[in-house]
Amino acid sequence: MNQNTNSAPLVEFQNIYKIYQTGDVEVRALDGVSFSIYKGEFVAIIGQSGSGKSTCMNIIGCLDVPTEGTYLLNGDDVSRLTDDEQAEIRNKTLGFIFQQYNLLPKLTNLDNVKLPLLYKGLRESEQEELAMDALRRVGVLDKAYHKPSQLSGGQQQRISIARALAGSPSIILADEPTGALDSKTSKEVIDFLIELNKQGNTIILITHDNTIAARAKRVIRVHDGRIIFDGMAMEDEIIKSTLSAHIKKEAEE
Amino acid sequence: MKFSKTIELAIASIRSNKMRSFLTMLGIIIGVAAVIILVSVMDGITGQVSDVFEGFGTNNITVSITSRGSTRRVEPDNLYELIDENSHLFLYCSPKVTATVNIKSPNSSETSYASVTGIDETYDEIDLLSTTQGRFLQFVDIEKMLKVCVIGTYYEQEYYDRGKAVGQKIKLNGDPYTIIGVLEEQSDSSEGSADQCIYIPYTLASKLSRNASIGSYVVSMKDSNRIEEAKAVLEMKLTEILGSSDFYNITATQEILDEMNSIMDTLKGALILIAGISLLVGGIGIMNIMLVSVTERTKEIGIRKSLGAKKKHIMQQFVIEAATVSGIGGLLGILLGGLVAYVIGIIMSITVIPSVSAVIVAFSVSVGIGIIFGYLPAKNAATLNPIDALRFE
């Protein structure tokens, strides 16, 4: 299942609970979740809306803390950090790719990519250099001085990937990165993520789409706050049936 | 986060909301302009009044005798002696008798009224007068009661060709007086200004005034810091002569000036306070708009936080933005205030110079207001939960 089982995991969830109290009703968004992700993996966390996959992502992304359980990131317990400590972890260890790209419309693409580097406290020249390098890697260097609104959805998503890459984070966390894109562009984005993974980046993909998840090496399927499957993508029953249905449909056409 | 970059972003954000930013700034603009106008105009008025007083000589003490008709009187010699005895305190002393006379223009048969001032030969030193033509009164003129006079530039320009007045005769109450000197222009030679003056020997003036005794004296001090001592010496002597301290008044020009300055300062303070209220209202306006701005930009804050912005980064961004809005408002207010003060200066014909300190204070206060009133909205922004902020549409 894991290539590097002998080394320490990058992400380790130890019996994580996230419980929301809404009035008298107790909602268990995560109900005792444990898993480990190692360096160099490409993992898809899949589940329907309300399954707990977003909560999972928020905790992995240090945007939220678990109610109970321990989250080790790079071996450090990050489950009880203050807001500013979380911010620092997000800045140095994580790169986010969002469904809606989440680029700041008033800034140029270059300035958008520079943002995490700026918060890192790098000098202007270093920021510029790293940002330009990231833009080159995702192939939109020529759009550096444009505003995000001047680009297509696919290009905007590339800018946001560049932003995630710029600070060389340990983990790239992609939350439904293809949700707002057409199938052709979606494929390009996923191809690019696979390419990044081949270059050694650890990628965690959050999605509800089985065909997207199928392209990851490993799949963690979440349902009602629990993990119902964790293994090779091709061994997941739902993915298998989805793919065969897909193939059948294509054959019929 | 880099300071210049933050200001750049703040300006970009102001520009993208021009109308709103301007309306937000308006409170600050009006407040700052009001402060600048008030300070400049009040300083202008104070300066002008001070100039007038300084024209009288700030080292002078005026003695007014109110016991007219009583058996006791103060003779010039009484005071001359006093001055001589206290030469460490006093420089000069002159009687000052004013009388209204009718004056006849040499060129026409028209007559008008004029105020003449009777003084002695030291008065030019006391009131800091100097002649540009001819000479001032001399001891012999006083002693011999010669019908001579020194005139201000108003009469010179009104009645004579320039430079031709000295040696001419002017009729005061029908008596011809020889003009022996013309004074240096003190104001602008216009009617009612300090240049409309005629000085004659006091010995003659007291006759023209139809008062048997001399009603007032002007004494100049050696050192204006010893004003209390000088007044005490005068009081002692005058009380001795007149028998009571009720029969005279002593006023020092410096004291009047000080009192006036303090009244002006109080007035200025009160007016600035009122203008300050408008700055306060402006500050509240900024706070209001910043709160709106934080709500509108919740998503942006969420994105920035997800990328690793700490509380201080977000705080900084919004505080600097508020300070930039109010700072620009302050600059516009200074410009507007300076302009209006300048126009008022022209209309009131006073010298209005916006003081550098007022400009610096106004600018600092407006930036300070931005920081203070930007703090709460910035704090709100900084403490937003990144997940909720990211989800915000």
Side-chain angles (χ1 to χ4, degrees), chain A residues 219-231:
Chain A
V219 165
I220 297 175
R221 184 172 293 277
V222 189
H223 186 74
D224 286 344
R226 291 168 189 271
I227 295 178
I228 56 167
F229 176 84
D230 183 357

Side-chain angles (χ1 to χ4, degrees), chain B residues 138-195:
Chain B
Q138 288 175 351
F139 178 71
V140 64
D141 302 326
I142 317 290
E143 187 65 17
K144 303 270 184 206
M145 293 174 70
L146 296 179
K147 287 186 173 155
V148 291
C149 66
V150 174
I151 60 169
T153 47
Y154 166 76
Y155 287 113
E156 185 206 9
Q157 291 182 12
E158 193 73 4
Y159 293 154
Y160 308 101
D161 294 332
R162 183 170 284 271
K164 295 278 171 61
V166 175
Q168 304 272 357
K169 292 207 189 312
I170 191 165
K171 276 188 174 173
L172 305 176
N173 276 0
D175 278 342
Y177 281 68
T178 307
I179 298 170
I180 55 166
V182 176
L183 293 171
E184 190 185 8
E185 186 179 59
Q186 295 179 64
S187 171
D188 55 2
S189 300
S190 64
E191 195 169 356
S193 74
D195 295 315

Side-chain angles (χ1 to χ4, degrees), chain B residues 83 86-92 219-222 230 233-234:
Chain B
I83 301 305
N86 295 285
S87 57
H88 62 292
L89 289 173
F90 302 110
L91 285 173
Y92 304 104
V219 180
S220 73
M221 283 181 292
K222 205 166 190 174
V233 169
L234 279 169

Side-chain angles (χ1 to χ4, degrees), chain A residues 58 63-64 83-84 87-88 90-91 96 98 102-104 106-107 111 114-116 118-119 124 163, chain B residues 1-2 5 9 13 16 299-300 303-311 313 385-387 390-391:
Chain A
N58 289 340
L63 290 163
D64 204 352
D83 290 356
D84 275 356
E88 190 157 344
R90 286 197 294 272
N91 184 248
F96 287 92
F98 299 99
N102 284 353
L103 299 170
L104 298 185
K106 279 176 194 163
L107 302 185
D111 282 339
K114 274 157 84 174
L115 266 186
L118 187 118
Y119 291 130
E124 179 75 22
R163 184 177 63 184
Chain B
M1 181 130 179
K2 237 181 153 189
K5 194 82 187 172
L9 278 178
S13 146
S16 65
K299 179 100 179 172
E300 176 190 331
I303 294 169
R304 287 179 183 274
K305 287 197 139 194
S306 76
L307 298 175
K310 291 184 184 170
K311 279 183 183 146
H313 294 125
N385 175 331
I387 302 171
L390 271 174
R391 251 184 236 140

Side-chain angles (χ1 to χ4, degrees), chain A residues 14-195:
Chain A
Q14 296 175 344
N15 209 21
I16 296 273
Y17 287 84
K18 184 71 191 184
I19 300 161
Y20 296 102
Q21 201 74 41
T22 45
D24 293 339
V25 188
E26 191 185 79
V27 179
R28 292 177 170 239
L30 289 179
D31 194 6
V33 171
S34 300
F35 61 83
S36 299
I37 295 171
Y38 292 81
K39 191 176 182 318
E41 281 199 277
F42 189 156
V43 182
I45 296 177
I46 189 164
Q48 287 153 349
S49 67
S51 60
K53 67 176 191 304
S54 289
T55 309
C56 213
M57 187 209 80
N58 289 340
I59 293 173
I60 295 172
C62 280
L63 290 163
D64 204 352
V65 288
T67 316
E68 263 176 66
T70 307
Y71 167 29
L72 300 177
L73 179 63
N74 266 334
D76 298 324
D77 187 352
V78 294
S79 34
R80 308 280 180 269
L81 293 183
T82 66
D83 290 356
D84 275 356
E85 285 165 341
Q86 285 188 325
E88 190 157 344
I89 301 269
R90 286 197 294 272
N91 184 248
K92 296 199 169 137
T93 325
L94 297 152
F96 287 92
I97 301 168
F98 299 99
Q99 177 174 5
Q100 296 298 335
Y101 330 125
N102 284 353
L103 299 170
L104 298 185
K106 279 176 194 163
L107 302 185
T108 62
N109 293 318
L110 178 63
D111 282 339
N112 265 293
V113 176
K114 274 157 84 174
L115 266 186
L117 307 171
L118 187 118
Y119 291 130
K120 213 172 196 169
L122 296 186
R123 275 184 292 123
E124 179 75 22
S125 57
E126 284 178 282
Q127 291 175 26
E128 186 95 7
E129 196 181 316
L130 290 173
M132 289 304 257
D133 189 52
L135 285 169
R136 190 179 303 114
R137 283 176 70 188
V138 299
V140 281
L141 189 58
D142 56 325
K143 305 285 189 244
Y145 299 102
H146 290 72
K147 294 274 173 74
S149 57
Q150 294 168 288
L151 307 186
S152 70
Q155 285 170 322
Q156 288 190 52
Q157 193 58 300
R158 279 169 186 266
I159 302 291
S160 95
I161 294 171
R163 184 177 63 184
L165 285 175
S168 311
S170 314
I171 301 164
I172 290 173
L173 203 51
D175 182 17
E176 301 276 11
T178 59
L181 300 174
D182 60 56
S183 56
K184 184 172 165 282
T185 324
S186 290
K187 189 177 173 302
E188 278 173 21
V189 168
I190 298 297
D191 285 346
F192 190 76
L193 290 178
I194 291 169
E195 181 59 34

